[in-house]
Amino acid sequence: MRLLHTGDWHVGRTIRGRSRAEEFADALREVVGIAREEAVDAVLLAGDVYDQRSPSPEADALVFEALVRLYEASIPVVAIPGNHDAASRLGALAQLLRPIGVVVVPRVVPPSDGSLVEVASRDGSEIAQVACLPFVPERRFGDAAALFRATEAWYQSYAEGMGRLIEAMCEPFRPDRVNVLLGHLFTDGAIPGGGEHQITIGIEYAVSPSRLPATASYVALGHVHRPQAVRGAPSPTRYAGSLLQLDFGEREQTKSVAIVEAHPGVPAKVREVALSAGRRLVDVRGTVDEVLAKGRGLPDAHLRVEVLTEGPMPGLNDRVRDELPNAVDVRISYERVEAEPAGPPVSSLASRDQFISFYRTEHGVDQVPAEVLDAFDEVAELEGA
Ligand SMILES: [Mn+2]
């Protein structure tokens, strides 16, 4: 059978406060299109469906539309929450989603209580059993472990416990089935994409790839935003990566979905299908003229602009933003002059001299530009200072 593995949609994510709804709509349409063209038997959605625990109605509409389109194409979906999703919210939605072929396993439960999801191929010749392992926050690990016959060894570390949890979740794997583990977790050695929350990417959360099941046909992971195969795992294992370049750490990454050809008793074969939807995130650096020229040549990208100048240039930030409407981040950079040896305490100065002292330290310059001082005087006058 053939499966499409995607995850880390993060629908609702903005970039420096700007909506990316159109990009999400395009990217989700592209994913649904690939699922149809490839005639996949199911979609595996590996968590972080939403960016926020309380998503906006707009984000909901985008996700619901994608799920309904898959239903119309008779493509079932198996989904788990990631660390960004509210498991309880997805759990409530699960009831509504079930009749349209979307099975959500919102929290860690033993296989006999619903975490092992069966999906048949269209022709009925093969059956996949998907062991669903939602993200387990460290503080909740005890609750998850308590559902199994956890021994003391489980509690030695998160990684060790997760290894045992994975083992228990995959225990029902059978050689006559396509066995899949669907999880949202961080494996040791994975290269972060840059848009993840750092706190959940770290050594204490890292599960050794060797703890992933050897009996799996395929392991479909979410959490890391750079699409990649996981080295050192006993079965074919991948992070699908995110849907869009979510932050500047993810610039230059081609996003993709994985098409998984799986049959019982053999390791799956995996193909990456690149996504073209969504704008690129691009760094632009140089003098004012350089950044404006480069930026005008990239009208479809979200730009992070760094302007190199000799010193502070009031109004430059606004000018760059005016001329490059797609600049989402503008910084002015110049070399800072070494701070002067301390004079009298700033608090003993008149407000104008306090401001001059502040400005010189803050901007690392000797002279406060005349127009800035004029502006200060104007404000000071209004304030009656
Ligand atoms: Mn994520």
Side-chain angles (χ1 to χ4, degrees), residues 275-290:
L275 299 173
S276 59
R279 296 174 178 220
R280 288 188 302 144
L281 305 191
V282 180
D283 270 336
V284 173
R285 190 169 186 266
T287 62
V288 184
D289 293 339
E290 285 166 353

Side-chain angles (χ1 to χ4, degrees), residues 177-380:
R177 294 281 192 268
V178 169
N179 300 307
V180 176
L181 171 63
L182 175 63
H184 193 90
L185 52 91
F186 183 61
T187 56
D188 228 349
I191 306 160
E196 304 94 347
H197 280 185
Q198 287 307 311
I199 195 152
T200 56
I201 300 260
I203 199 75
E204 64 276 21
Y205 272 97
V207 177
S208 165
S210 66
R211 298 307 298 265
L212 297 169
T215 46
S217 316
Y218 181 66
V219 177
L221 296 180
H223 197 38
V224 174
H225 292 174
R226 182 192 300 271
Q228 64 196 287
V230 174
R231 272 182 259 161
S235 309
T237 301
R238 270 191 78 81
Y239 283 104
S242 49
L243 203 56
L244 301 175
Q245 294 177 357
L246 291 176
D247 211 332
F248 283 92
E250 297 181 40
R251 69 190 189 280
E252 286 157 27
Q253 290 173 23
T254 301
K255 300 302 183 179
S256 58
V257 296
I259 299 293
V260 183
E261 303 280 350
H263 303 287
V266 290
K269 290 199 172 64
V270 189
R271 251 183 312 129
E272 229 179 316
V273 178
L275 299 173
S276 59
R279 296 174 178 220
R280 288 188 302 144
L281 305 191
V282 180
D283 270 336
V284 173
R285 190 169 186 266
T287 62
V288 184
D289 293 339
E290 285 166 353
V291 297
L292 291 179
K294 283 185 209 168
R296 286 190 196 104
L298 294 161
D300 293 327
H302 292 297
L303 305 178
R304 180 168 68 178
V305 178
E306 185 178 3
V307 192
L308 307 175
T309 64
E310 298 286 315
M313 294 181 64
L316 182 58
N317 198 303
D318 289 340
R319 185 184 153 204
V320 172
R321 286 176 189 274
D322 279 350
E323 299 206 25
L324 300 175
N326 54 332
V328 295
D329 195 327
V330 179
R331 267 184 307 155
I332 314 294
S333 290
Y334 44 85
E335 243 174 75
R336 279 151 195 265
V337 175
E338 280 296 305
E340 298 260 317
V346 171
S347 56
S348 70
L349 302 174
S351 61
R352 192 174 198 270
D353 293 327
Q354 282 191 21
F355 173 72
I356 292 170
S357 167
F358 161 79
Y359 192 95
R360 287 166 61 180
T361 315
E362 185 69 14
H363 296 276
V365 291
D366 275 338
Q367 293 293 325
V368 179
E371 63 266 41
V372 173
L373 266 185
D374 287 349
F376 176 85
D377 290 340
E378 208 173 299
V379 174

